[in-house]
Amino acid sequence: MAGNSFGEIFRISTFGESHGVALGVIIDGCPAGLSIDTSFIQSELDRRKPGQSAIVTQRKEADEFEILSGIFEGVTQGTPIAIIIRNEDQKSKDYEHIKDSFRPSHADFTYQEKYGTRDYRGGGRSSARETAARVAAAAIAKQFLKYYNIDVQAYVSKVGDIALTQDYSTLDLTKTEDNIVRCPDAATANKMIELIKAVKKDGDTIGGCVSCVIKGVPIGLGEPVFDKLHADLGKAMLSINASKGFEYGSGFAGTSLRGSQHNDIFYNDKGVIKTKTNFSGGIQGGISNGMDIYFTVAFKSIATIMQEQSSVDKDGNEVSVTGRGRHDPCVLPRAVPIVEAMAALVIADHLLRSKLSKL
Amino acid sequence: MAGNSFGEIFRISTFGESHGVALGVIIDGCPAGLSIDTSFIQSELDRRKPGQSAIVTQRKEADEFEILSGIFEGVTQGTPIAIIIRNEDQKSKDYEHIKDSFRPSHADFTYQEKYGTRDYRGGGRSSARETAARVAAAAIAKQFLKYYNIDVQAYVSKVGDIALTQDYSTLDLTKTEDNIVRCPDAATANKMIELIKAVKKDGDTIGGCVSCVIKGVPIGLGEPVFDKLHADLGKAMLSINASKGFEYGSGFAGTSLRGSQHNDIFYNDKGVIKTKTNFSGGIQGGISNGMDIYFTVAFKSIATIMQEQSSVDKDGNEVSVTGRGRHDPCVLPRAVPIVEAMAALVIADHLLRSKLSKL
Amino acid sequence: MAGNSFGEIFRISTFGESHGVALGVIIDGCPAGLSIDTSFIQSELDRRKPGQSAIVTQRKEADEFEILSGIFEGVTQGTPIAIIIRNEDQKSKDYEHIKDSFRPSHADFTYQEKYGTRDYRGGGRSSARETAARVAAAAIAKQFLKYYNIDVQAYVSKVGDIALTQDYSTLDLTKTEDNIVRCPDAATANKMIELIKAVKKDGDTIGGCVSCVIKGVPIGLGEPVFDKLHADLGKAMLSINASKGFEYGSGFAGTSLRGSQHNDIFYNDKGVIKTKTNFSGGIQGGISNGMDIYFTVAFKSIATIMQEQSSVDKDGNEVSVTGRGRHDPCVLPRAVPIVEAMAALVIADHLLRSKLSKL
Amino acid sequence: MAGNSFGEIFRISTFGESHGVALGVIIDGCPAGLSIDTSFIQSELDRRKPGQSAIVTQRKEADEFEILSGIFEGVTQGTPIAIIIRNEDQKSKDYEHIKDSFRPSHADFTYQEKYGTRDYRGGGRSSARETAARVAAAAIAKQFLKYYNIDVQAYVSKVGDIALTQDYSTLDLTKTEDNIVRCPDAATANKMIELIKAVKKDGDTIGGCVSCVIKGVPIGLGEPVFDKLHADLGKAMLSINASKGFEYGSGFAGTSLRGSQHNDIFYNDKGVIKTKTNFSGGIQGGISNGMDIYFTVAFKSIATIMQEQSSVDKDGNEVSVTGRGRHDPCVLPRAVPIVEAMAALVIADHLLRSKLSKL
């Protein structure tokens, strides 16, 4: 009800503020009997953590996790899995200047108005640091999906005006982690990195897009009407900090096509029903059809910039604010594991839900 | 769980198949004491119903509704409001030819696989006819919002390649209903209508976009983290048949902007804190900030075309299918009230949720 | 949220007021592929309906139902099943005298205070007439359970001070429907009927208990911690009008026993693990263990009596109220199918939930 | 869905196994702006913790808690409040003998069957140790209720055959904590203590009842139909380990009364509408009427006894099991704060829900 939980059956609930004692997550509804590789949780957290490269924030968080429950002798017990990550490198003093002021395009103002109180340190609960808990939970979800041979891969497809123009199917996604911006095309990646460095030098920030491909999803995931698979994927992506849009399959560009161009023709591929094209993005009528699922998420530029900006304080007085502390010039590289995390959580949940469709 | 309900507090549950006995909806959680104008429910249904103009399907449904419960002496009782709409002009015979075949880019195949059974008549539960129930429910939600002076207005902003280029704030939205395509700019509307007629003549269909503006939303709606206001709006829109994407505020285009360009500067407008620009689309940190909320939804071309297409049947044999019956050449005009309906439902729900934020 | 839905996966939502247009229910989450005998729905409604014998209310309601959706060619489609029952023999004038007065031990006062408005006719939504919708829904649930060979049987075990003293296992439950009070022991049944007739002659009412036995429940139903199987059964029973208590297995009486007396000893019965005694009532740690589940529900005497009573009106003035219309002198006989209905709904829901426990 | 959460708006989710790393709870939906006395959390945990007197288990757990999130500068932020309690005095070796065997009337067998795996140490998730997390959460809920002047008090009303015979209203509940069995009547308390000591000497255990009174509940809490206030209280109580029954108001005994005896007559007490008697237990039609709410919960004797018992192992072989470790001879004294905890959580949740009933 208060918006801190996600999923119906494979359900996570996160907690924690950016500069509080700890972040954490409860994963409820993971079936019993799944062997868990805990080192994978750390490697996923490492992909998201700050300080990993020159183009992300230099805040230093080890992001070491502790599992408190739900796993016994390496195996899930069907009971809630609780994971916590203690906060360490907090520099709360960097935030005292905005204790009573509202940073432009941040959540300071809306939180203050909604709750009448606000943990201003590091953005409190509105900080993207919360997504570490999601990534930890999704490291369990990904292992659950692996059991079903489902694979989720995201990559940066656009930074500022520099965009990948290839179709996803022509990209070699195994190369995504080969560069610090996480774009599978090396040439484009270099241009993106240069742009981010230039933006950073200006004390500015820049937006872009993350695309994601999910392979191996069985037919039948997604519920008709409100919980269509792409609707839940869309909500999941739009719940990520700084997200501004979502499209799947042919997306916005596809709206210019006619039905005769856009329809995906079924054919029989050695006993398996497939479609010749995949404008549907692997989802028809809200339900997976066995083809690749793919989608793109838009992220705005990060609001904290190292430039002076005008704003107001709690009493409505005009003030000037300038970003302090250590911030990302571009959210995109670190958004990749977060997009994957949310996608994995949606698929895990719908995989379980799909077990209930028929006798 | 099975995806037929939407909303947490102001919650609707729809039922009914396209050619079944009736469609309907239960609205649960509407507060007691709201006076209801039942004629408004009919006028909203009339905006969505088939046969209303030359550019939509000629199927004839009066879409007359009956309220079964929850309203006594014209006032909501706090108990569930049930509304049904009986199906009338069904021509189920038009569908017997696809009883065992899968129409391209329809839900025939995925439903059959998911459930092992399928009401093939008129698309059954996957038909957009289901949205009549949403519109009826939203006619209650809109009256609830009117009580709080909140106003929801959608319009067609793109058909094929013909797009409105103006900012929403320069449009006169009172003119949306002046033409059959529901575009507030008369010149653009005419071009859209011509395009749809041409497409129809070809036995083809065409996609496009609907945009929506919500005015008067108080500060504080939306829950942080997963149930961000735009995330719930996004899911709502993506749950509409044929929807392919969602963006709010600066959307996909805004990802090219730098933070210094994109940040919305706060200022004090005679005691009210506002922002000078509104790239945020009225939502910051997932919570409404009192500015206009605006967003755009992408819709693909309708899958049923009056042309012969190749496909497969249940047994995997190659077959040929051609659309029969009466279908829309373009979903956009009728999508306008549906987009408004889903938006109204999201805002009504979050308005009630926001009452729980603080002591 | 507003309390009109029950169940997590096999989920029902009821609507309707006693003297409104119709009652109804949506059953969501019933798996596709279940063959439905619709005549069984009517026979279950007939067991609950008024006017069936000399010891129940003489209100005449045919309680004929109409299925609006979800079943196609006799088979569930995995889509919501909507059933409505129109109200017919309403004598709303019988209630005008209590339009502004509060009947003792009724919901008139609390509804008026909670909602600020009230459909006073026949008790509106607070009427036990609402349970017809539950019985209709459970007629689907029972057919789902029958598919798994699970059987639910309730009977009247106490009226006033006349109580069955036998253990449930010594009773022949096939005889429950042989008499109008629905007690499987003929001699006790006669005493109960005499008591109810005497009470009725006095214009009074009387309470009692219904017991219920569920056979064939597989091991593993019920979720640990909050959704223990007996906790959900208890809530289900306490949600029935006039219910005052619930106990299962050894119940209240068993609290006097020592652990050495009360523990149920496991043994191996030809490869099946059973317990020698069944004080646990078939549930251990909140989870079914394969033994019979049994429980008892307490019902108070009905509040509407044909005697003059003192009360107050909306303005706090003292008034006198006397029951009018046609009312039950004893809720017990008609409560039997309702107890069965709620039990069937709980078991159906947990049967589906249990599919999610392990890989 | 997996049964580890309770409440709709004021919602708790617990995690942790008896001998795992830690127990804990997330409290979601507590409104922002509530000042929290953290020392009260410890004092509530102390009332529940083992080792507090001669008649409870001698297991030593400090039950020291740590708040990880949600409270800033002593005030709730509207964000999730996470509390953990690390396990300390585990003697897991005491449980190795039952690794493959099923203790009678424990959850060993049902957990093993349900999940196919089981953390046997200390009962794992099925241990009543889980209730420490509930008590911690309820220490927040109680402070929320105190803000509204609502008070929850439980006490032991029966141990074995020794029962309080007085009406709750004649007891001085301030004396409940004056003795180690938590019975407000000193003479009865002494008899109860003697009985428990005798039972303990025999290596046996004994059951009994806890009663609870809630004062100050405003009119209008509870939702009609399924989420009646007493139905949710009943479920809450039945979710406590070893619980076997629940009754409220006149309960089971009241079923013998006639309507003319049982009806609670309304009267005007200086402008406040009250009832002369309170057989309704403060709840009519499922909604609080402003009178005291009172109820009683039945608890069976604890299953672990220090006597040899016959049982079976995983393979169905007959085995003998004898309780080891440190266990309670009687659950009642420590159940008192747990009953209060669950009652406080139900009332807090419905208090928030009641804000949504009318415009």
Side-chain angles (χ1 to χ4, degrees), chain A residues 1 111 158 161 202 204 220 224 227-228 232 235 255-256 258 260 353, chain B residues 1 111 114 158 202 204 224 227 232 235 239 255-256 258 260 353:
Chain A
M1 187 58 48
Y111 266 64
K158 179 175 180 290
D161 284 325
D202 296 343
D204 215 336
D227 297 353
K228 290 182 166 84
D232 277 353
K235 172 167 175 166
T255 63
S256 298
R258 291 186 172 206
S260 56
R353 291 173 76 171
Chain B
M1 185 59 48
Y111 267 63
K114 183 177 183 72
K158 179 175 179 292
D202 296 343
D204 215 336
D227 296 353
D232 278 352
K235 172 167 175 167
S239 80
T255 63
S256 298
R258 291 187 172 206
S260 56
R353 291 172 77 170

mmCIF file of all heavy atoms in Angstrom, chain A residues 1 111 158 161 202 204 220 224 227-228 232 235 255-256 258 260 353, chain B residues 1 111 114 158 202 204 224 227 232 235 239 255-256 258 260 353:
data_model
loop_
_atom_site.group_PDB
_atom_site.id
_atom_site.type_symbol
_atom_site.label_atom_id
_atom_site.label_comp_id
_atom_site.label_asym_id
_atom_site.label_seq_id
_atom_site.Cartn_x
_atom_site.Cartn_y
_atom_site.Cartn_z
ATOM 1 N N MET A 1 0.833 -1.214 0.000
ATOM 2 C CA MET A 1 0.000 0.000 0.000
ATOM 3 C C MET A 1 0.867 1.265 0.000
ATOM 4 O O MET A 1 0.571 2.233 -0.665
ATOM 5 C CB MET A 1 -0.892 -0.011 1.260
ATOM 6 C CG MET A 1 -1.904 1.086 1.300
ATOM 7 S SD MET A 1 -3.009 1.050 -0.130
ATOM 8 C CE MET A 1 -3.465 -0.687 -0.167
ATOM 9 N N TYR A 111 8.510 15.054 -1.092
ATOM 10 C CA TYR A 111 8.556 14.289 0.155
ATOM 11 C C TYR A 111 8.146 15.169 1.345
ATOM 12 O O TYR A 111 7.391 14.753 2.207
ATOM 13 C CB TYR A 111 9.968 13.728 0.405
ATOM 14 C CG TYR A 111 10.175 12.325 -0.102
ATOM 15 C CD1 TYR A 111 10.092 12.041 -1.460
ATOM 16 C CD2 TYR A 111 10.461 11.269 0.756
ATOM 17 C CE1 TYR A 111 10.300 10.749 -1.942
ATOM 18 C CE2 TYR A 111 10.662 9.982 0.285
ATOM 19 C CZ TYR A 111 10.593 9.721 -1.065
ATOM 20 O OH TYR A 111 10.794 8.450 -1.538
ATOM 21 N N LYS A 158 21.646 4.381 -25.592
ATOM 22 C CA LYS A 158 21.663 5.799 -25.972
ATOM 23 C C LYS A 158 22.204 6.618 -24.803
ATOM 24 O O LYS A 158 21.840 6.377 -23.649
ATOM 25 C CB LYS A 158 20.237 6.261 -26.321
ATOM 26 C CG LYS A 158 20.085 7.728 -26.706
ATOM 27 C CD LYS A 158 18.641 8.005 -27.149
ATOM 28 C CE LYS A 158 18.410 9.453 -27.548
ATOM 29 N NZ LYS A 158 18.454 10.383 -26.408
ATOM 30 N N ASP A 161 22.699 12.319 -27.414
ATOM 31 C CA ASP A 161 22.235 12.058 -28.787
ATOM 32 C C ASP A 161 22.950 10.887 -29.445
ATOM 33 O O ASP A 161 22.737 10.612 -30.630
ATOM 34 C CB ASP A 161 22.433 13.319 -29.648
ATOM 35 C CG ASP A 161 21.369 14.360 -29.340
ATOM 36 O OD1 ASP A 161 20.222 13.961 -29.049
ATOM 37 O OD2 ASP A 161 21.705 15.556 -29.361
ATOM 38 N N ASP A 202 31.941 19.675 -17.264
ATOM 39 C CA ASP A 202 31.099 20.868 -17.174
ATOM 40 C C ASP A 202 30.306 20.944 -15.868
ATOM 41 O O ASP A 202 29.514 21.868 -15.679
ATOM 42 C CB ASP A 202 30.094 20.897 -18.337
ATOM 43 C CG ASP A 202 30.781 21.018 -19.692
ATOM 44 O OD1 ASP A 202 31.969 21.401 -19.721
ATOM 45 O OD2 ASP A 202 30.126 20.740 -20.712
ATOM 46 N N ASP A 204 28.009 18.996 -15.248
ATOM 47 C CA ASP A 204 26.642 18.766 -15.722
ATOM 48 C C ASP A 204 26.339 17.263 -15.754
ATOM 49 O O ASP A 204 27.182 16.434 -15.356
ATOM 50 C CB ASP A 204 26.482 19.382 -17.126
ATOM 51 C CG ASP A 204 25.086 19.955 -17.336
ATOM 52 O OD1 ASP A 204 24.149 19.520 -16.658
ATOM 53 O OD2 ASP A 204 24.972 20.853 -18.199
ATOM 54 N N GLY A 220 2.992 -18.097 -22.290
ATOM 55 C CA GLY A 220 1.918 -18.098 -21.285
ATOM 56 C C GLY A 220 2.148 -17.224 -20.071
ATOM 57 O O GLY A 220 1.314 -17.208 -19.167
ATOM 58 N N PRO A 224 -4.022 -11.521 -18.607
ATOM 59 C CA PRO A 224 -4.761 -10.615 -19.486
ATOM 60 C C PRO A 224 -5.281 -9.399 -18.711
ATOM 61 O O PRO A 224 -5.234 -9.373 -17.491
ATOM 62 C CB PRO A 224 -5.920 -11.467 -19.980
ATOM 63 C CG PRO A 224 -5.911 -12.724 -19.218
ATOM 64 C CD PRO A 224 -4.669 -12.815 -18.419
ATOM 65 N N ASP A 227 -2.833 -6.928 -15.685
ATOM 66 C CA ASP A 227 -1.463 -7.352 -15.387
ATOM 67 C C ASP A 227 -0.798 -7.973 -16.607
ATOM 68 O O ASP A 227 -0.107 -8.999 -16.509
ATOM 69 C CB ASP A 227 -1.456 -8.321 -14.195
ATOM 70 C CG ASP A 227 -1.951 -7.653 -12.927
ATOM 71 O OD1 ASP A 227 -2.167 -6.425 -12.932
ATOM 72 O OD2 ASP A 227 -2.129 -8.361 -11.923
ATOM 73 N N LYS A 228 -0.990 -7.330 -17.735
ATOM 74 C CA LYS A 228 -0.300 -7.771 -18.947
ATOM 75 C C LYS A 228 1.205 -7.774 -18.664
ATOM 76 O O LYS A 228 1.706 -6.929 -17.910
ATOM 77 C CB LYS A 228 -0.640 -6.816 -20.095
ATOM 78 C CG LYS A 228 -2.089 -6.916 -20.580
ATOM 79 C CD LYS A 228 -2.351 -5.984 -21.761
ATOM 80 C CE LYS A 228 -3.655 -6.311 -22.466
ATOM 81 N NZ LYS A 228 -4.841 -5.683 -21.828
ATOM 82 N N ASP A 232 3.341 -4.859 -16.560
ATOM 83 C CA ASP A 232 4.120 -5.037 -15.333
ATOM 84 C C ASP A 232 5.598 -4.727 -15.560
ATOM 85 O O ASP A 232 6.263 -4.182 -14.668
ATOM 86 C CB ASP A 232 3.924 -6.458 -14.781
ATOM 87 C CG ASP A 232 2.634 -6.563 -13.957
ATOM 88 O OD1 ASP A 232 1.996 -5.521 -13.709
ATOM 89 O OD2 ASP A 232 2.262 -7.675 -13.561
ATOM 90 N N LYS A 235 5.696 -0.886 -15.556
ATOM 91 C CA LYS A 235 5.662 -0.336 -14.198
ATOM 92 C C LYS A 235 7.002 -0.539 -13.497
ATOM 93 O O LYS A 235 7.516 0.366 -12.825
ATOM 94 C CB LYS A 235 4.546 -0.990 -13.386
ATOM 95 C CG LYS A 235 4.612 -0.589 -11.925
ATOM 96 C CD LYS A 235 3.398 -0.931 -11.126
ATOM 97 C CE LYS A 235 3.693 -0.580 -9.662
ATOM 98 N NZ LYS A 235 2.529 -0.558 -8.821
ATOM 99 N N THR A 255 4.300 2.930 -34.218
ATOM 100 C CA THR A 255 2.945 3.464 -34.368
ATOM 101 C C THR A 255 2.712 4.038 -35.759
ATOM 102 O O THR A 255 1.578 4.304 -36.133
ATOM 103 C CB THR A 255 2.657 4.568 -33.323
ATOM 104 O OG1 THR A 255 3.568 5.666 -33.546
ATOM 105 C CG2 THR A 255 2.861 4.047 -31.912
ATOM 106 N N SER A 256 3.790 4.255 -36.501
ATOM 107 C CA SER A 256 3.643 4.765 -37.867
ATOM 108 C C SER A 256 3.341 3.658 -38.870
ATOM 109 O O SER A 256 3.014 3.939 -40.029
ATOM 110 C CB SER A 256 4.928 5.492 -38.286
ATOM 111 O OG SER A 256 5.153 6.598 -37.442
ATOM 112 N N ARG A 258 1.511 0.365 -40.689
ATOM 113 C CA ARG A 258 0.183 -0.172 -40.928
ATOM 114 C C ARG A 258 0.109 -1.605 -40.427
ATOM 115 O O ARG A 258 1.119 -2.280 -40.282
ATOM 116 C CB ARG A 258 -0.112 -0.140 -42.433
ATOM 117 C CG ARG A 258 -0.289 1.280 -42.969
ATOM 118 C CD ARG A 258 -0.720 1.254 -44.415
ATOM 119 N NE ARG A 258 -1.071 2.590 -44.875
ATOM 120 C CZ ARG A 258 -1.919 2.830 -45.858
ATOM 121 N NH1 ARG A 258 -2.495 1.807 -46.511
ATOM 122 N NH2 ARG A 258 -2.208 4.062 -46.226
ATOM 123 N N SER A 260 -0.764 -4.217 -41.940
ATOM 124 C CA SER A 260 -0.209 -5.167 -42.902
ATOM 125 C C SER A 260 1.320 -5.233 -42.815
ATOM 126 O O SER A 260 1.923 -6.232 -43.201
ATOM 127 C CB SER A 260 -0.630 -4.788 -44.331
ATOM 128 O OG SER A 260 -0.229 -3.448 -44.603
ATOM 129 N N ARG A 353 3.066 -17.140 -11.278
ATOM 130 C CA ARG A 353 1.633 -16.911 -11.510
ATOM 131 C C ARG A 353 1.103 -17.798 -12.623
ATOM 132 O O ARG A 353 -0.060 -18.236 -12.575
ATOM 133 C CB ARG A 353 1.384 -15.438 -11.854
ATOM 134 C CG ARG A 353 1.619 -14.518 -10.681
ATOM 135 C CD ARG A 353 1.549 -13.041 -11.043
ATOM 136 N NE ARG A 353 0.177 -12.595 -11.231
ATOM 137 C CZ ARG A 353 -0.168 -11.313 -11.382
ATOM 138 N NH1 ARG A 353 0.769 -10.366 -11.364
ATOM 139 N NH2 ARG A 353 -1.419 -10.978 -11.537
ATOM 140 N N MET B 1 -4.792 -11.260 -8.590
ATOM 141 C CA MET B 1 -3.762 -12.251 -8.959
ATOM 142 C C MET B 1 -3.905 -12.661 -10.423
ATOM 143 O O MET B 1 -2.938 -12.831 -11.134
ATOM 144 C CB MET B 1 -3.929 -13.471 -8.046
ATOM 145 C CG MET B 1 -2.872 -14.508 -8.216
ATOM 146 S SD MET B 1 -1.235 -13.853 -7.893
ATOM 147 C CE MET B 1 -1.508 -12.998 -6.333
ATOM 148 N N TYR B 111 -3.529 -17.057 -25.610
ATOM 149 C CA TYR B 111 -4.618 -17.522 -24.742
ATOM 150 C C TYR B 111 -4.754 -19.037 -24.810
ATOM 151 O O TYR B 111 -4.909 -19.709 -23.799
ATOM 152 C CB TYR B 111 -5.944 -16.868 -25.142
ATOM 153 C CG TYR B 111 -6.273 -15.606 -24.389
ATOM 154 C CD1 TYR B 111 -5.464 -14.474 -24.487
ATOM 155 C CD2 TYR B 111 -7.395 -15.516 -23.564
ATOM 156 C CE1 TYR B 111 -5.767 -13.304 -23.803
ATOM 157 C CE2 TYR B 111 -7.710 -14.350 -22.880
ATOM 158 C CZ TYR B 111 -6.899 -13.243 -23.003
ATOM 159 O OH TYR B 111 -7.210 -12.099 -22.330
ATOM 160 N N LYS B 114 -1.902 -20.572 -22.927
ATOM 161 C CA LYS B 114 -1.927 -20.295 -21.489
ATOM 162 C C LYS B 114 -3.017 -21.085 -20.778
ATOM 163 O O LYS B 114 -2.802 -21.615 -19.689
ATOM 164 C CB LYS B 114 -2.160 -18.802 -21.246
ATOM 165 C CG LYS B 114 -2.131 -18.404 -19.767
ATOM 166 C CD LYS B 114 -2.290 -16.895 -19.582
ATOM 167 C CE LYS B 114 -2.190 -16.507 -18.118
ATOM 168 N NZ LYS B 114 -0.839 -16.610 -17.576
ATOM 169 N N LYS B 158 -1.177 11.841 -32.541
ATOM 170 C CA LYS B 158 -0.441 11.311 -33.683
ATOM 171 C C LYS B 158 -1.243 10.177 -34.320
ATOM 172 O O LYS B 158 -1.803 9.329 -33.606
ATOM 173 C CB LYS B 158 0.937 10.780 -33.225
ATOM 174 C CG LYS B 158 1.810 10.158 -34.319
ATOM 175 C CD LYS B 158 3.190 9.801 -33.747
ATOM 176 C CE LYS B 158 4.107 9.148 -34.763
ATOM 177 N NZ LYS B 158 3.672 7.809 -35.172
ATOM 178 N N ASP B 202 -7.981 0.649 -47.982
ATOM 179 C CA ASP B 202 -7.024 -0.417 -48.311
ATOM 180 C C ASP B 202 -7.276 -1.700 -47.516
ATOM 181 O O ASP B 202 -6.511 -2.658 -47.651
ATOM 182 C CB ASP B 202 -5.586 0.042 -48.022
ATOM 183 C CG ASP B 202 -5.168 1.216 -48.903
ATOM 184 O OD1 ASP B 202 -5.840 1.453 -49.927
ATOM 185 O OD2 ASP B 202 -4.180 1.879 -48.562
ATOM 186 N N ASP B 204 -6.772 -1.859 -44.481
ATOM 187 C CA ASP B 204 -5.615 -1.882 -43.589
ATOM 188 C C ASP B 204 -5.931 -1.098 -42.297
ATOM 189 O O ASP B 204 -7.071 -0.627 -42.109
ATOM 190 C CB ASP B 204 -4.402 -1.259 -44.301
ATOM 191 C CG ASP B 204 -3.088 -1.953 -43.914
ATOM 192 O OD1 ASP B 204 -3.030 -2.557 -42.822
ATOM 193 O OD2 ASP B 204 -2.131 -1.881 -44.719
ATOM 194 N N PRO B 224 6.491 6.572 -2.956
ATOM 195 C CA PRO B 224 7.874 6.418 -3.391
ATOM 196 C C PRO B 224 8.190 4.967 -3.746
ATOM 197 O O PRO B 224 7.419 4.077 -3.471
ATOM 198 C CB PRO B 224 8.678 6.868 -2.185
ATOM 199 C CG PRO B 224 7.751 7.019 -1.062
ATOM 200 C CD PRO B 224 6.355 6.968 -1.562
ATOM 201 N N ASP B 227 5.493 2.223 -6.276
ATOM 202 C CA ASP B 227 4.208 2.736 -6.755
ATOM 203 C C ASP B 227 4.277 4.231 -7.036
ATOM 204 O O ASP B 227 3.376 4.999 -6.685
ATOM 205 C CB ASP B 227 3.107 2.419 -5.733
ATOM 206 C CG ASP B 227 2.899 0.918 -5.574
ATOM 207 O OD1 ASP B 227 3.490 0.144 -6.335
ATOM 208 O OD2 ASP B 227 2.136 0.527 -4.675
ATOM 209 N N ASP B 232 2.508 3.900 -11.894
ATOM 210 C CA ASP B 232 1.144 3.384 -11.926
ATOM 211 C C ASP B 232 0.378 3.905 -13.138
ATOM 212 O O ASP B 232 -0.445 3.178 -13.714
ATOM 213 C CB ASP B 232 0.418 3.718 -10.618
ATOM 214 C CG ASP B 232 0.762 2.708 -9.518
ATOM 215 O OD1 ASP B 232 1.420 1.690 -9.820
ATOM 216 O OD2 ASP B 232 0.376 2.914 -8.355
ATOM 217 N N LYS B 235 1.684 1.714 -16.021
ATOM 218 C CA LYS B 235 1.062 0.394 -16.047
ATOM 219 C C LYS B 235 -0.379 0.484 -16.540
ATOM 220 O O LYS B 235 -0.824 -0.344 -17.338
ATOM 221 C CB LYS B 235 1.095 -0.232 -14.652
ATOM 222 C CG LYS B 235 0.286 -1.508 -14.591
ATOM 223 C CD LYS B 235 0.492 -2.339 -13.371
ATOM 224 C CE LYS B 235 -0.488 -3.508 -13.421
ATOM 225 N NZ LYS B 235 -0.204 -4.558 -12.465
ATOM 226 N N SER B 239 -1.779 -1.287 -19.956
ATOM 227 C CA SER B 239 -2.796 -2.345 -19.843
ATOM 228 C C SER B 239 -3.898 -2.182 -20.878
ATOM 229 O O SER B 239 -4.769 -3.048 -20.999
ATOM 230 C CB SER B 239 -3.400 -2.335 -18.438
ATOM 231 O OG SER B 239 -4.374 -1.314 -18.314
ATOM 232 N N THR B 255 15.692 12.724 -22.944
ATOM 233 C CA THR B 255 16.916 12.030 -22.533
ATOM 234 C C THR B 255 18.152 12.630 -23.178
ATOM 235 O O THR B 255 19.280 12.341 -22.770
ATOM 236 C CB THR B 255 16.855 10.521 -22.882
ATOM 237 O OG1 THR B 255 16.762 10.380 -24.303
ATOM 238 C CG2 THR B 255 15.663 9.860 -22.223
ATOM 239 N N SER B 256 17.947 13.446 -24.215
ATOM 240 C CA SER B 256 19.089 14.100 -24.864
ATOM 241 C C SER B 256 19.526 15.369 -24.134
ATOM 242 O O SER B 256 20.586 15.924 -24.441
ATOM 243 C CB SER B 256 18.726 14.452 -26.314
ATOM 244 O OG SER B 256 18.448 13.278 -27.039
ATOM 245 N N ARG B 258 20.728 17.940 -21.055
ATOM 246 C CA ARG B 258 21.618 17.939 -19.898
ATOM 247 C C ARG B 258 20.833 18.369 -18.652
ATOM 248 O O ARG B 258 19.796 19.028 -18.753
ATOM 249 C CB ARG B 258 22.762 18.918 -20.135
ATOM 250 C CG ARG B 258 23.725 18.444 -21.219
ATOM 251 C CD ARG B 258 24.918 19.351 -21.311
ATOM 252 N NE ARG B 258 25.924 18.799 -22.207
ATOM 253 C CZ ARG B 258 27.223 19.082 -22.097
ATOM 254 N NH1 ARG B 258 27.654 19.921 -21.141
ATOM 255 N NH2 ARG B 258 28.092 18.547 -22.928
ATOM 256 N N SER B 260 21.455 20.647 -16.617
ATOM 257 C CA SER B 260 21.315 22.105 -16.518
ATOM 258 C C SER B 260 20.189 22.636 -17.402
ATOM 259 O O SER B 260 19.646 23.708 -17.154
ATOM 260 C CB SER B 260 22.639 22.771 -16.910
ATOM 261 O OG SER B 260 23.017 22.353 -18.217
ATOM 262 N N ARG B 353 -5.038 6.993 -1.310
ATOM 263 C CA ARG B 353 -3.827 6.506 -0.647
ATOM 264 C C ARG B 353 -3.088 7.650 0.052
ATOM 265 O O ARG B 353 -2.479 7.446 1.105
ATOM 266 C CB ARG B 353 -2.899 5.828 -1.661
ATOM 267 C CG ARG B 353 -3.477 4.518 -2.167
ATOM 268 C CD ARG B 353 -2.666 3.923 -3.303
ATOM 269 N NE ARG B 353 -1.450 3.288 -2.833
ATOM 270 C CZ ARG B 353 -0.662 2.537 -3.599
ATOM 271 N NH1 ARG B 353 -0.981 2.328 -4.863
ATOM 272 N NH2 ARG B 353 0.422 1.992 -3.116
#
